[in-house]
Amino acid sequence: MEPDRRGDIGFPEAVMSASAVCVVLVCFIAFAYGSFSETESEVHQYSLSALPDHISLESGSYILDESFVYGKMSSLDVSGVSIIADPSGMSTITPASWSIGDGSGDCTQWRYVADIDSDDGRRVPTVLTVKVFQ
């Protein structure tokens, strides 16, 4: 890794220095995106993080405790919430969807997997898609 008489570096040194530059640039772009990107809306996904505790599975269909959602809507000051529960890969359980309130305007959407308790003692992995309308 020493320069030769002409002062040139070799191929391995050039590859390592180019890799170091690429890593630094990727870190900078990630930092800049996180710092200067469009700000999140006031409704964060953590405000409805207890949602899976209020969804149950009874006789093969999903049941939602809508009073919990209405309470969260009033505390978050949002106009509507849309929830889709999809038991991905399970043909014996039908997907369910709920629309509560006004489903128009700007929305924030996120998707995550939650274990939903069933009336037969199972925990069913379910993909929840939540849209919160401003």
Side-chain angles (χ1 to χ4, degrees), residues 3-86:
D4 62 7
R5 287 184 286 169
R6 295 180 297 166
D8 295 335
I9 61 173
F11 180 75
E13 290 83 7
V15 169
M16 285 190 294
S17 62
S19 298
V21 168
C22 288
V23 168
V24 169
L25 287 177
V26 167
C27 291
F28 173 75
I29 290 172
F31 172 77
Y33 178 77
S35 298
F36 305 116
S37 67
E38 199 172 316
T39 58
E40 292 281 328
S41 67
E42 293 180 12
V43 179
H44 298 286
Q45 77 180 53
Y46 302 111
S47 42
L48 288 171
S49 62
L51 184 63
D53 296 335
H54 298 278
I55 297 176
S56 62
L57 188 61
E58 295 179 9
S59 302
S61 59
Y62 288 101
I63 307 292
L64 173 67
D65 179 15
E66 293 186 12
S67 62
F68 169 77
V69 178
Y70 281 117
K72 281 294 189 178
M73 283 176 55
S74 64
S75 68
L76 295 172
D77 194 33
V78 296
S79 62
V81 175
S82 172
I83 303 165
I84 300 172
D86 183 18

